[in-house]
Amino acid sequence: MVSSLLADAVADPTAVLLDLFAANDDIQAFSARVAAHFSAVFSSDAALAEIPALDALDARHDRALVRFRAMVQDTSPSPEIYRARWPGPRCGGWGLADASPHDISYDDLRESTVFWAVSVPAQSPWCADPSSAPHNTPHSHKFPVPHHPHHAVQVKVYHNYPVKPTELHTFVGILTSEPLHADLDLDSPALVPTLHVLFSLPTPTTIVPRVYPDPAFTKNTRDELITWIADASLAGDQDAAEWVLLAAIARVQSRSPPILPLTLTVSCFPSPSPTATSTSTPALSHILTQIFPLVTTLPLSLSTLNTTSFAPESKNEDLHSGWLQLPRGTVCVVTEGGVSEGNVSERGLNNLRATQEMMNAQTLQYVFPYSAFAFDTDVAFVILSEGTKSAFFHASANIPLRPAIPDFDFYKTPEGVAPKAEDALASFRALVGAAKIGSVTVNDQTAQFIQEDFVQERKAAPAQDEVLTQDHLIQRMMIARLLALSMQEPEITVPIWKKAKEMETTRRARILSQ
Amino acid sequence: MLSAPAAQSDEPDEIRAIWGTTVNLAETMKLFREFLKGFKPKYRAAHDRELGLQTRVFSSPEEGEVALYETYLRRMRQMGDTNLNLDMINLQAYPPSRKLHSQLYKYPQEVIPAMDQVLKDLMLEIADLDQQMGVEGMEGEDGEAEIADILGRVYKVRPFGLTPVNMRELNPTDTDKLVAIKGLVIRATPVIPDMKVAFFRCLTCSHTVQVEIDRGKIEEPARCPRDVCASVGTMSLVHNRCEFADRQVIRLQETPDAVPDGQTPHTVSLSVYDELVDVSKPGDRMIVCGIFRSVPVRVNPRQRTLKSLFKTYLDVVHVKLGGGGTLGFDRTTRPAGGDRLPGVGDGAEEDDESGAEGRMTRKAELEAKLLELSRRPGIYDLLSRSLAPSIWEMEDVKKGILLQLFGGTNKSIARGGGGGGPRYRGDINVLLVGDPGTSKSQILGYVHKIAPRGVYTSGKGSSAVGLTAYVTRDPDSKQLVLESGALVLSDGGVCCIDEFDKMSDATRSVLHEVMEQQTVSIAKAGIITTLNARTSILAAANPVGSKYDVNMPITRNIDLPPTLISRFDLLYLVLDRVEEAHDRKLAQHLVGLYLEDSPVRETEDILPLQELSAYIDFARSKIHPVITEAAGKELVSSYVEMRNMGDDPRASEKRITATTRQLESMIRLSEAHARMRFSEFVGLQDVKEACRLMREAIRTSAMDPRTGKIDMGMLNTGTGQGQRKMRDDMRKEVLGLLEGAGRARGIKWADAIQRLGEQSSVRVDASDFTEVMKSLENEGLVKVVGERDKRTIRRIEG
């Protein structure tokens, strides 16, 4: 009966393992069978919810069944050889062992993949598993945000499930406490929580699965969303809010040719006053966190630049994390409010360069001894700068802020933000989630219109200075696409194209009129 | 070594010497002995020929008939060396020892010591024979001494020649087998003393026994082996009678080319002993051959005997340095006198590029594929299309940049001791100037991706490394800005510089040196030195105004000194011309690319970036074209033609035309074109294409808008022929003005300009006037006093 299978698995997964092995001890196929069995037992969301989340458990529960939604952080450990069959025959792997006889047949040995996984950085509270407060682990250098409490485990996967750094997966397995793979030959190695995976599932980019176009979408939703962002965090500037929305839903469309997310600088954004008692995180971050599943704030200051790591670096064969090691689909709000005059060290310059390269090419170089490896990223950037442009970065678009509300507190805390109704929030989240995964095309009629429009506009340019270039056209097309996505439209239509043009023109006018 | 009685098996006379193997050690030794005595290079040549591999060429038939290993053994005796490097493929190539090859690979733990024994026996035999024959150095007492030495030494056979596998592919079934892997050394321990033979003494009766290491373990005797004593647990280790080997543990990481996309590299441990210790250092690439070992480790600290996990490592028998793809290592960085790789024998004469690599089938496959590609008729167009596939047209620009990636050949004239003398750079520098918004940045982005040793910087951007930078508040705008330091260069790469015109003067002066001499001089902390910076520069510059003014010469449009501009081999003008039919096609292309869900390309025929990168990499390292006589003649005649370009035979004035700098550029471009075709010789077609590219580039950039004619002088000195004439005229006029009225008092600056303008049909340009005044002042013909508006010009005697 299904329910008893479920109950057994949750109560004593080890017993289930031993039973499966007793039925058939062919170790070549065993781990695949294990994965198939457990994923069948927990195939429904309800069943999955029965498994306690790692977060809610403490270390006393040795060999308990847990689930952990995690980001893969460090895949550099080599595969581990374990003894899969003991005399009896008895099951090996998943932390199981028996009294060891002297001779070993190499046919009894199998390999498992070992890596380090951490709780999802930048995860917004509304989509995270309810958990007890994560603690500070001794391996805090392996989390993107320095000294940020999180959960971390050594993961051992026995079935064929290749993973890459920054991917999000849900791992279900047996939790024990074991030495780190790299420390095995030390006399008294430190122990780390180790998850022996029974089965695993990839996590969607939007965490909560979405469908495009969102069936519950209405035009009102979009307008309400923009108004809310504007009023709560951007002093009522609707245009800036719309630009922020578009930049945040941008993602990598293709790598060849490179069609990468539009990056945005919101300029003339006031810095926090030096005597302010509130923290220096802008309210915009809090607002975005309520809508998007993955949002992180990168607070630039001379000390952040000069003393912390932005890109992951392998030291002593341990991959230290960096601010920029983020899962696909993250929105990264970069604040320059904390920057003052002073020296930027070589490390700071490297950090700046890594960030700019991520904005330009959506790749991040992980530093290894005598070699560097480039990893593809997909992160949307919104830069907040006090000046008319960013002090450090070159972004695709720049929208100067025009506050409509005087004496606006740009840095109010989450408690200071007026709460929004739950159903409104749900519709916002569905809108942006769908936009993140949707795709739009263009019909022939609109394509023709765009081409003709381009030709005519170039002919009619009054002065040499204002000629529309191909780079401008490309930018407009990116904006049109994002607009269509934000409107849940399947195609770019002529009205959408016109709106894109209008937005661009207004934006440029704002810059010129400063 | 032979202990167990014969077990059941198919083959007669087979003894299962050690549980699990089917090695008949006596037979093995016999086979190896036969091999060492009988192998001749001709067998290897025949073997290679059968497999379609490149065979060694013998200068005479006798060379193939030499008893190769006997020669090696004699050399070992003369040099006092105890290591014999053995190419395992020779075992396969020599028919009687074919079986030995698979035995060696499957049971190295048993076979290698047997081979060592045979080696030593044969060394003694040959020494004996030589002594009897009275060979030089072996007569009488010398011979006795040599033989005594040989007896006292330990001889080792070091096999190699297995096809290297990716360390990811090593799995438990490879345990105890011989494998070869390649990688990058990232760490090495200091030398560790490793026990080989333990010396035990019984505490009761002082009986001593030596125990050798077996499969990584030394079995401590549980009881005294002397029957009379037989005490239990009284055997104690005597450290200073034990024998130790030098051991070092090296961590070997996967090389970037071996790691699958989007993955971090794996690492494996190596154990090296004795002569192989300290042969490599962190940062080296190497191919190692060794025995793959799995050692059980204790997982649960409370349960000493419970060992469910295994640590793996490689017990190394042979090391070969370099061996990484097309990038070997720079010989000039190795210690003088060569690396201290031990051993006599196979593999010593080969350089990095042949030998082991020729046998790597995957490498050979890739090479064959690239060679085939190079023979395609439209390869030039294919490659330039693939360079920046999303960019519309700009074919000649793409071709020029493509040739830049291939580069010409570096030449140097060594004098005497070598390495000295002037070097002629092969690097090609390209400058793109043009209107903003014309995808110049995109091209740079593509090149940066293809040329992996490249650097991408923006002239004013925060891309500096090695020097600190400062965040300051701009006094005018009150905003924070980052003032960056110098430029990053990469030796042997392509440096892509965007917004070249916004570069600071300090950086520009560095570039002068880099572009011409390929070095960077550094004076810092009391050290003055020169570093190599063999890099080619691809720069993109915007015009001074918001758009390029076609009515002004190029030197006015871009704010760069002509001396710097002349160091670029190709200068392209990328203009944004408004033209209906062209614009329509451009828009169509862009809409198709950016808005269609799966971008459509007009021609499906494009090489993926990785292949293009591999093609260029291969060509750069393997092909070094030489100029043929015919090509040389063509170069000369093209150069002469270029010098005559725009020459008006009826004109009485002499024009400055192309200089030798342009000839050098032509040579580099021709070499690059030949390299692109994988041709060892620069032919006529290469020269013709190089000239065509140069003409196309010159045509648009060095055309004097006033005369419509090509004028190299415009680029090289910043002044066009027409302009020079105009200035000469102006000079005469000014001097004339000064001669007349105002000889004593001088003329005011503004007045002078006005009066000139009155009598001239052409508008007098203020900067032209300034130039003329400067040169007059330098010649001592005039003197200018006063500041700015109140300047007065006075004629003085020269």
Side-chain angles (χ1 to χ4, degrees):
Chain A
M1 295 231 296
V2 176
S3 58
S4 75
L5 275 176
L6 187 78
D8 289 342
V10 174
D12 191 354
T14 309
V16 177
L17 259 184
L18 295 174
D19 286 341
L20 285 171
F21 190 77
N24 179 349
D25 64 3
D26 170 15
I27 55 171
Q28 301 285 353
F30 185 61
S31 48
R33 276 180 53 223
V34 167
H37 173 90
F38 281 94
S39 52
V41 170
F42 294 102
S43 54
S44 69
D45 285 340
L48 207 57
E50 295 282 325
I51 309 174
L54 175 79
D55 312 347
L57 283 176
D58 57 26
R60 277 179 292 152
H61 293 77
D62 195 37
R63 296 201 74 81
L65 184 72
V66 300
R67 78 186 143 82
F68 185 35
R69 181 196 290 152
M71 177 182 87
V72 175
Q73 192 270 328
D74 181 2
T75 53
S76 50
S78 301
E80 184 172 77
I81 295 184
Y82 67 97
R83 184 156 183 183
R85 187 201 288 125
W86 297 79
R90 310 249 309 143
C91 177
W94 292 272
L96 293 170
D98 218 334
S100 106
H102 289 297
D103 31 273
I104 300 152
S105 162
Y106 298 134
D107 292 332
D108 287 341
L109 302 181
R110 298 270 296 157
E111 266 190 341
S112 69
T113 326
V114 181
F115 53 88
W116 189 260
V118 295
S119 36
V120 180
Q123 192 172 223
S124 302
W126 56 269
C127 57
D129 286 321
S131 63
S132 56
H135 46 280
N136 269 313
T137 72
H139 301 269
S140 64
H141 59 277
K142 291 178 87 64
F143 193 72
V145 182
H147 310 296
H148 190 98
H150 64 283
H151 290 281
V153 289
Q154 178 180 219
V155 179
K156 298 193 179 179
V157 175
Y158 297 87
H159 62 291
N160 184 22
Y161 191 78
V163 295
K164 292 185 186 173
T166 74
E167 280 183 354
L168 299 181
H169 298 273
T170 301
F171 299 106
V172 175
I174 300 172
L175 186 67
T176 65
S177 199
E178 285 180 23
L180 256 184
H181 172 74
D183 293 343
L184 275 175
D185 40 13
L186 293 180
D187 278 328
S188 44
L191 301 178
V192 295
T194 302
L195 185 64
H196 300 273
V197 172
L198 294 164
F199 75 99
S200 37
L201 299 163
T203 306
T205 323
T206 48
I207 310 269
V208 177
R210 301 285 177 193
V211 144
Y212 183 85
D214 174 33
F217 173 76
T218 64
K219 191 172 177 307
N220 279 345
T221 318
R222 187 179 186 275
D223 293 337
E224 256 186 60
L225 173 58
I226 293 175
T227 309
W228 184 51
I229 296 176
D231 290 342
S233 58
L234 292 172
D237 183 347
Q238 296 263 355
D239 284 344
E242 191 164 14
W243 277 99
V244 167
L245 175 65
L246 293 187
I249 61 177
R251 69 173 200 275
V252 173
Q253 294 291 150
S254 92
R255 293 257 166 203
S256 60
I259 303 177
L260 304 176
L262 195 82
T263 51
L264 180 73
T265 304
V266 179
S267 51
C268 307
F269 189 93
S271 300
S273 69
T275 54
T277 47
S278 54
T279 63
S280 55
T281 309
L284 182 64
S285 295
H286 304 311
I287 299 295
L288 290 176
T289 307
Q290 299 236 32
I291 314 168
F292 289 88
L294 296 165
V295 179
T296 186
T297 308
L298 178 53
L300 287 186
S301 68
L302 287 181
S303 81
T304 318
L305 279 174
N306 292 333
T307 59
T308 61
S309 298
F310 281 34
E313 185 175 348
S314 176
K315 297 180 193 168
N316 288 328
E317 299 186 40
D318 184 15
L319 187 69
H320 292 228
S321 189
W323 287 97
L324 300 174
Q325 189 178 26
L326 298 167
R328 243 178 59 194
T330 307
V331 178
C332 183
V333 178
V334 182
T335 59
E336 294 184 4
V339 177
S340 53
E341 293 178 86
N343 256 11
V344 178
S345 66
E346 179 171 347
R347 184 177 190 179
L349 288 175
N350 278 332
N351 285 337
L352 287 173
R353 194 152 48 117
T355 315
Q356 181 73 71
E357 179 153 1
M358 204 155 147
M359 292 180 194
N360 290 347
Q362 290 291 336
T363 57
L364 181 62
Q365 298 259 20
Y366 288 27
V367 179
F368 280 82
Y370 308 102
S371 48
F373 291 79
F375 285 80
D376 285 344
T377 62
D378 189 354
V379 172
F381 283 95
V382 176
I383 306 165
L384 302 175
S385 173
E386 188 184 338
T388 52
K389 55 182 182 66
S390 160
F392 302 114
F393 305 114
H394 174 73
S396 326
N398 179 339
I399 178 83
L401 192 68
R402 289 257 180 89
I405 304 171
D407 294 326
F408 188 81
D409 182 7
F410 288 92
Y411 294 88
K412 48 174 111 91
T413 57
E415 295 74 38
V417 174
K420 197 81 177 154
E422 212 27 64
D423 52 347
L425 285 177
S427 61
F428 294 160
R429 290 167 189 163
L431 195 174
V432 300
K436 266 284 197 193
I437 54 141
S439 58
V440 294
T441 54
V442 67
N443 58 33
D444 284 337
Q445 189 206 6
T446 319
Q448 278 298 104
F449 180 87
I450 295 174
Q451 289 158 31
E452 207 44 54
D453 194 29
F454 178 68
V455 172
Q456 296 310 326
E457 204 172 319
R458 271 165 73 85
K459 258 205 278 199
Q464 282 291 75
D465 291 355
E466 293 160 34
V467 157
L468 185 68
T469 65
Q470 52 176 308
D471 283 355
H472 293 152
L473 178 61
I474 293 171
Q475 179 115 320
R476 279 188 194 173
M477 291 196 285
M478 309 267 272
I479 295 164
R481 184 182 226 148
L482 290 170
L483 268 175
L485 283 170
S486 72
M487 295 174 183
Q488 313 281 302
E489 292 286 330
E491 272 184 349
I492 298 174
T493 58
V494 174
I496 293 182
W497 178 255
K498 289 192 173 150
K499 182 158 167 38
K501 265 175 68 170
E502 197 193 302
M503 280 183 73
E504 258 297 89
T505 321
T506 317
R507 185 182 71 77
R508 282 176 190 276
R510 256 201 209 185
I511 296 179
L512 287 171
S513 70
Q514 280 176 313
Chain B
M1 280 186 281
L2 303 172
S3 51
Q8 295 290 349
S9 92
D10 298 326
E11 294 193 36
D13 293 333
E14 196 174 84
I15 300 175
R16 288 185 179 269
I18 292 145
W19 186 83
T21 72
T22 55
V23 172
N24 175 338
L25 281 168
E27 194 191 330
T28 303
M29 290 169 76
K30 181 160 149 271
L31 284 178
F32 189 50
R33 196 188 151 79
E34 214 182 297
F35 168 81
L36 284 179
K37 290 183 82 115
F39 178 83
K40 299 183 173 135
K42 68 179 184 188
Y43 293 107
R44 179 57 189 273
H47 172 89
D48 286 344
R49 210 174 303 130
E50 236 173 277
L51 290 177
L53 295 169
Q54 214 177 9
T55 63
R56 196 175 129 195
V57 171
F58 299 126
S59 49
S60 68
E62 292 86 48
E63 219 188 302
E65 294 284 344
V66 167
L68 185 64
Y69 287 93
E70 286 192 7
T71 334
Y72 288 153
L73 262 60
R74 287 202 166 90
R75 197 180 304 164
M76 280 167 68
R77 186 185 72 222
Q78 284 154 7
M79 294 174 52
D81 214 317
T82 56
N83 289 245
L84 176 69
N85 292 328
L86 171 68
D87 186 340
M88 283 169 69
I89 304 206
N90 287 345
L91 288 174
Q92 258 186 338
Y94 187 62
S97 61
R98 206 158 270 178
K99 193 164 119 181
L100 198 52
H101 180 269
S102 77
Q103 283 188 341
L104 175 56
Y105 142 74
K106 282 191 213 154
Y107 311 112
Q109 187 60 35
E110 290 79 28
V111 172
I112 293 181
M115 287 173 147
D116 292 345
Q117 185 64 46
V118 170
L119 174 61
K120 181 160 177 174
D121 290 342
L122 212 56
M123 283 292 285
L124 286 168
E125 257 183 56
I126 292 180
D128 217 21
L129 185 69
D130 285 353
Q131 191 192 34
Q132 283 171 19
M133 306 270 279
V135 163
E136 193 189 322
M138 288 298 285
E139 307 104 326
E141 282 197 10
D142 292 338
E144 294 297 322
E146 287 278 345
I147 293 176
D149 281 340
I150 295 174
L151 272 172
R153 290 191 194 119
V154 175
Y155 284 85
K156 293 187 189 144
V157 174
R158 295 195 177 282
F160 68 95
L162 282 176
T163 310
V165 297
N166 197 339
M167 62 176 86
R168 257 168 226 263
E169 292 165 41
L170 293 175
N171 61 57
T173 54
D174 290 316
T175 310
D176 284 350
K177 297 211 171 78
L178 198 65
V179 294
I181 57 173
K182 66 177 163 88
L184 176 65
V185 177
I186 56 170
R187 276 200 296 174
T189 63
V191 178
I192 306 165
D194 208 47
M195 202 180 289
K196 279 194 314 185
V197 179
F199 194 89
F200 291 97
R201 175 180 279 128
C202 177
L203 291 170
T204 316
C205 65
S206 294
H207 177 68
T208 63
V209 68
Q210 285 184 316
V211 181
E212 277 187 12
I213 195 169
D214 178 39
R215 277 186 216 253
K217 288 201 284 231
I218 288 185
E219 193 93 41
E220 180 179 332
R223 52 177 27 194
C224 179
R226 203 164 144 240
D227 294 330
V228 176
C229 172
S231 339
V232 172
T234 54
M235 300 305 285
S236 144
L237 190 71
V238 183
H239 283 102
N240 56 6
R241 296 287 296 272
C242 296
E243 282 175 34
F244 293 91
D246 287 339
R247 184 162 89 99
Q248 185 178 43
V249 179
I250 294 176
R251 290 290 284 170
L252 194 73
Q253 183 190 286
E254 273 181 303
T255 49
D257 49 291
V259 178
D261 223 11
Q263 284 290 4
T264 49
H266 284 168
T267 345
V268 81
S269 280
L270 308 178
S271 257
V272 292
Y273 296 87
D274 299 322
E275 298 88 353
L276 292 181
V277 166
D278 275 345
V279 147
S280 62
K281 54 187 203 301
D284 285 345
R285 284 171 188 240
M286 56 188 201
I287 301 179
V288 292
C289 187
I291 307 173
F292 185 60
R293 296 222 190 270
S294 305
V295 175
V297 287
R298 183 188 64 216
V299 176
N300 189 333
R302 285 190 294 275
Q303 296 172 275
R304 284 189 61 89
T305 53
L306 212 56
K307 294 179 181 175
S308 54
L309 296 178
F310 288 76
K311 282 236 109 170
T312 59
Y313 68 97
L314 217 78
D315 215 333
V316 177
V317 294
H318 185 271
V319 168
K320 182 177 162 73
L321 292 177
T326 49
L327 282 135
F329 53 88
D330 187 350
R331 281 242 165 71
T332 59
T333 65
R334 307 309 295 185
D339 294 296
R340 293 181 298 117
L341 280 172
V344 167
D346 300 320
E349 303 86 23
E350 294 162 355
D351 61 38
D352 304 84
E353 314 209 335
S354 61
E357 293 203 24
R359 267 158 246 139
M360 286 197 273
T361 45
R362 238 181 322 166
K363 271 246 91 214
E365 260 177 54
L366 179 66
E367 264 185 48
K369 191 167 164 214
L370 293 175
L371 274 166
E372 200 196 306
L373 203 58
S374 72
R375 290 186 204 117
R376 270 168 79 157
I379 184 65
Y380 187 39
D381 285 307
L382 174 64
L383 290 173
S384 62
R385 265 204 313 270
S386 313
L387 180 71
S390 68
I391 293 181
W392 177 251
E393 286 188 335
M394 298 227 285
E395 266 132 29
D396 281 334
V397 175
K398 290 180 193 174
K399 285 187 172 147
I401 295 176
L402 179 72
L403 293 189
Q404 174 184 44
L405 290 173
F406 282 102
T409 55
N410 287 316
K411 307 158 193 71
S412 68
I413 298 178
R415 280 197 192 125
R423 283 153 71 187
Y424 296 97
R425 66 173 168 98
D427 291 309
I428 296 172
N429 300 319
V430 176
L431 177 62
L432 303 177
V433 180
D435 293 327
T438 47
S439 312
K440 297 197 293 293
S441 305
Q442 280 186 57
I443 295 186
L444 264 59
Y446 274 115
V447 171
H448 175 55
K449 265 202 283 197
I450 293 172
R453 311 272 290 293
V455 176
Y456 183 98
T457 90
S458 182
K460 208 171 166 58
S462 56
S463 50
V465 163
L467 297 181
T468 51
Y470 307 94
V471 175
T472 59
R473 206 170 274 282
D474 184 273
D476 299 320
S477 64
K478 302 279 183 290
Q479 317 187 59
L480 290 173
V481 288
L482 181 72
E483 287 185 0
S484 57
L487 186 65
V488 184
L489 300 169
S490 134
D491 196 24
V494 175
C495 185
C496 301
I497 309 177
D498 210 351
E499 300 192 19
F500 192 59
D501 46 305
K502 295 199 176 53
M503 189 161 281
S504 66
D505 287 329
T507 324
R508 251 182 238 165
S509 59
V510 173
L511 273 179
H512 265 283
E513 187 185 347
V514 169
M515 289 176 75
E516 205 46 50
Q517 293 168 286
Q518 305 261 279
T519 54
V520 172
S521 302
I522 303 196
K524 200 174 178 184
I527 301 172
I528 302 175
T529 183
T530 317
L531 296 180
N532 282 334
R534 282 162 305 226
T535 180
S536 25
I537 309 251
L538 172 63
N542 281 330
V544 164
S546 54
K547 215 173 141 46
Y548 191 89
D549 186 348
V550 290
N551 296 319
M552 301 280 276
I554 195 171
T555 44
R556 288 291 180 71
N557 268 295
I558 49 177
D559 181 27
L560 290 168
T563 46
L564 190 57
I565 298 183
S566 66
R567 279 173 166 74
F568 283 97
D569 298 274
L570 288 172
L571 207 173
Y572 288 106
L573 259 190
V574 183
L575 296 177
D576 187 19
R577 268 181 285 266
V578 176
E579 198 265 319
E580 193 171 320
H582 166 269
D583 290 348
R584 195 163 276 128
K585 284 219 193 84
L586 170 62
Q588 197 173 25
H589 166 85
L590 288 175
V591 170
L593 210 53
Y594 284 88
L595 291 185
E596 301 290 348
D597 214 12
S598 39
V600 167
R601 293 193 224 292
E602 321 143 33
T603 34
E604 318 77 40
D605 200 14
I606 293 204
L607 283 179
L609 275 186
Q610 259 155 326
E611 257 182 72
L612 180 58
S613 209
Y615 189 98
I616 295 174
D617 225 5
F618 184 83
R620 281 189 78 112
S621 61
K622 299 276 176 45
I623 317 276
H624 305 283
V626 170
I627 301 182
T628 59
E629 206 178 303
K633 288 210 184 89
E634 180 68 23
L635 275 167
V636 169
S637 64
S638 304
Y639 176 61
V640 171
E641 202 186 304
M642 204 181 283
R643 280 175 72 81
N644 293 336
M645 217 189 295
D647 201 19
D648 188 344
R650 293 164 297 172
S652 52
E653 305 121 358
K654 184 98 176 43
R655 294 171 187 273
I656 298 177
T657 49
T659 65
T660 50
R661 212 165 257 200
Q662 275 72 47
L663 177 59
E664 278 177 30
S665 298
M666 257 201 290
I667 294 174
R668 283 191 277 269
L669 285 166
S670 321
E671 285 169 349
H673 192 270
R675 191 176 257 167
M676 186 270 308
R677 295 185 300 120
F678 279 27
S679 161
E680 292 292 339
F681 298 101
V682 178
L684 270 185
Q685 51 171 305
D686 303 314
V687 177
K688 286 202 160 69
E689 175 62 15
C691 289
R692 186 191 73 82
L693 278 177
M694 285 201 72
R695 268 203 305 276
E696 281 307 313
I698 291 175
R699 192 196 303 282
T700 44
S701 55
M703 180 141 43
D704 188 337
R706 279 176 260 224
T707 60
K709 301 221 168 68
I710 303 258
D711 196 335
M712 295 305 304
M714 183 114 95
L715 279 181
N716 288 338
T717 63
T719 310
Q721 161 67 29
Q723 209 171 5
R724 240 187 313 282
K725 180 171 185 333
M726 186 269 299
R727 283 197 191 159
D728 282 338
D729 291 342
M730 194 188 289
R731 229 179 95 103
K732 283 196 213 119
E733 287 300 327
V734 168
L735 287 173
L737 272 177
L738 291 169
E739 284 301 323
R743 170 125 196 175
R745 286 165 309 184
I747 309 182
K748 285 223 193 69
W749 190 273
D751 284 347
I753 296 186
Q754 196 185 8
R755 277 156 66 175
L756 274 177
E758 278 160 18
Q759 57 196 86
S760 155
S761 52
V762 179
R763 186 178 75 86
V764 173
D765 185 65
S767 54
D768 282 335
F769 185 74
T770 316
E771 287 300 318
V772 171
M773 291 322 302
K774 248 194 256 182
S775 67
L776 283 173
E777 253 192 307
N778 283 340
E779 288 168 54
L781 293 172
V782 303
K783 193 168 156 75
V784 179
V785 291
E787 293 296 311
R788 281 198 272 230
D789 298 332
K790 301 217 180 63
R791 277 181 292 188
T792 317
I793 310 166
R794 204 174 292 145
R795 182 83 169 82
I796 57 178
E797 293 304 326

